[in-house]
Amino acid sequence: MNTFSALAHPNIAFIKYWGNRDNTLRLPSNGSISMNLDGLFTRTTVTFSPSAQTDSLLLNNRPVTGPGLDRVSYILDIVRGMADLPDRAEVVSENNFPAGAGIASSAAAFAALALSASKAAGLNLSEAQLSILARRGSGSASRSIPAGFVEWKAGTNDEDSYAISIAPPEHWALTDCVAVVNAGHKKTGSTEGHALAGTSPLQAARVDDAPRRLEICRQAILRRDFAAFAEIIELDSDMMHAVMMTSHPPLMYWQAATLEIFHAVREWRAAGLPCAYTVDAGANVHVLCPREQAGAVEKRLRDLPGVRDVLVAQAGGAARIV
Ligand code: DP6
């Protein structure tokens, strides 16, 4: 019997992953860039056991069956194939952030699963191999394997589509203030959303322009150029949501409070407070700012109507065995 536990952070995308060239392999239509979120994490323990009849999953102390378990078994099957291991596994996973906070948990979950399951099966995978394995469970999970500021190269096949660190967490004291506006469950999950991306007439333009945005974002991070960073992350987020809103059927993740925060953030920035917004497949707004301004940004966000809570995170490290 072999047990390993691993911890991984969620991440916030600055250049978004939206749409796949291959939905099964999760080969993305475009590359993406993100930052891991320190302080927030998923911890997962995997035990392969010859006596287990089936795979099992306990998530935040609740047994999970059906599609949730199938998605985990899919990764375990890949690991069993690589390790030539027949055993079923017990998976126990916990998030330290509230399920309803609107922080995508699949990135941290599949990064922690890829690391703990491969180690428990006796494999010693490279960072790239772990990123590929995590990607098969959830695309954004590929980016929760390496440390700090991360770029997932779109690649062309299963072997070359993985994420690498472009700068360590300590490179830039950037803070993410997550304004939680809607704690409810999202109506359409990312997986279904990716499948709709191609139905928007705007997706082709968004994908064609992605190398340019990736380059601007990469350079802004490497130079710690907040003004350039602010402009490109807001553009990229708005472009993804434009694709979502013009898909068939259309997806509208924003709430009234989401839009209120956009306007406030732009006013604050125009008045000299460095901050910028980005939104994933939900209504909550991630407001990025230099660490020195985080206190002021958090306070201002809390004072806005419709903001229920604000979570604050710095750049986080790589997925690791604990
Ligand atoms: C809007 O990685 O959650 O957060 O591969 O189907 O699990 P699956 O999708 P997921 O998609 C993330 C979408 C996004 C943008 C991003 O994180 O890049």
Side-chain angles (χ1 to χ4, degrees):
M1 200 168 85
N2 246 329
T3 298
F4 269 93
S5 297
L7 178 154
H9 300 292
N11 64 72
I12 176 63
F14 300 145
I15 301 297
K16 310 289 189 187
Y17 151 50
W18 197 247
N20 286 312
R21 282 182 298 129
D22 182 322
N23 281 319
T24 310
L25 286 175
R26 289 188 156 82
L27 297 178
S29 302
N30 60 276
S32 52
I33 291 179
S34 61
M35 179 181 94
N36 287 344
L37 300 178
D38 193 16
L40 309 178
F41 61 81
T42 299
R43 188 199 312 266
T44 299
T45 302
V46 174
T47 308
F48 283 102
S49 128
S51 60
Q53 299 294 306
T54 56
D55 292 328
S56 65
L57 170 62
L58 203 62
L59 179 59
N60 297 322
N61 287 316
R62 289 205 177 139
V64 176
T65 55
L69 176 61
D70 293 345
R71 205 165 159 184
V72 165
S73 284
Y74 174 68
I75 296 303
L76 295 171
D77 284 340
I78 298 175
V79 169
R80 280 187 279 259
M82 290 169 97
D84 200 15
L85 179 78
D87 298 353
R88 302 293 108 181
E90 180 187 79
V91 179
V92 179
S93 191
E94 260 165 343
N95 298 324
N96 79 333
F97 47 98
I103 308 281
S105 55
S106 68
F110 282 97
L113 179 67
L115 181 54
S116 53
S118 59
K119 284 297 257 183
L123 298 167
N124 266 314
L125 301 184
S126 67
E127 185 179 270
Q129 287 173 309
L130 286 167
S131 177
I132 289 167
L133 181 59
R135 187 200 81 225
R136 300 286 301 268
S138 176
S140 55
S142 67
R143 298 188 311 242
S144 281
I145 293 289
F149 299 86
V150 173
E151 179 166 0
W152 172 17
K153 305 275 182 191
T156 57
N157 57 50
D158 188 38
E159 286 79 43
D160 68 3
S161 183
Y162 58 87
I164 55 165
S165 178
I166 55 174
E170 56 279 9
H171 166 74
W172 196 11
L174 205 58
T175 300
D176 183 7
C177 301
V178 192
V180 179
V181 302
N182 185 350
H185 266 281
K186 46 182 171 180
K187 288 182 216 86
T188 307
S190 316
T191 305
E192 296 136 275
H194 289 296
L196 296 177
T199 65
S200 165
L202 304 184
Q203 171 71 347
R206 182 190 156 276
V207 170
D208 284 349
D209 183 59
R212 184 188 72 90
R213 297 193 308 282
L214 285 162
E215 174 63 13
I216 293 172
C217 185
R218 203 185 293 123
Q219 291 308 325
I221 290 170
L222 294 177
R223 295 181 185 145
R224 304 183 193 91
D225 177 346
F226 192 85
F229 175 78
E231 199 178 310
I232 201 66
I233 70 167
E234 290 188 356
L235 173 68
D236 190 85
S237 176
D238 290 349
M239 284 176 83
M240 178 182 73
H241 285 272
V243 167
M244 292 163 159
M245 290 175 205
T246 52
S247 293
H248 184 78
L251 300 173
M252 171 66 82
Y253 288 104
W254 296 348
Q255 297 290 327
T258 312
L259 214 49
E260 296 281 358
I261 299 169
F262 293 171
H263 287 297
V265 165
R266 287 195 169 166
E267 270 170 33
W268 300 340
R269 189 159 80 244
L273 180 69
C275 56
Y277 67 77
T278 185
V279 179
D280 279 344
N284 299 330
V285 185
H286 294 250
V287 181
L288 281 300
C289 64
R291 189 177 296 167
E292 306 84 73
Q293 276 79 35
V297 169
E298 181 188 353
K299 187 178 175 314
R300 288 187 190 207
L301 286 171
R302 285 190 189 279
D303 288 344
L304 291 179
V307 174
R308 295 188 192 182
D309 195 11
V310 179
L311 306 175
V312 178
Q314 318 287 336
R320 58 189 185 273
I321 290 293
V322 285

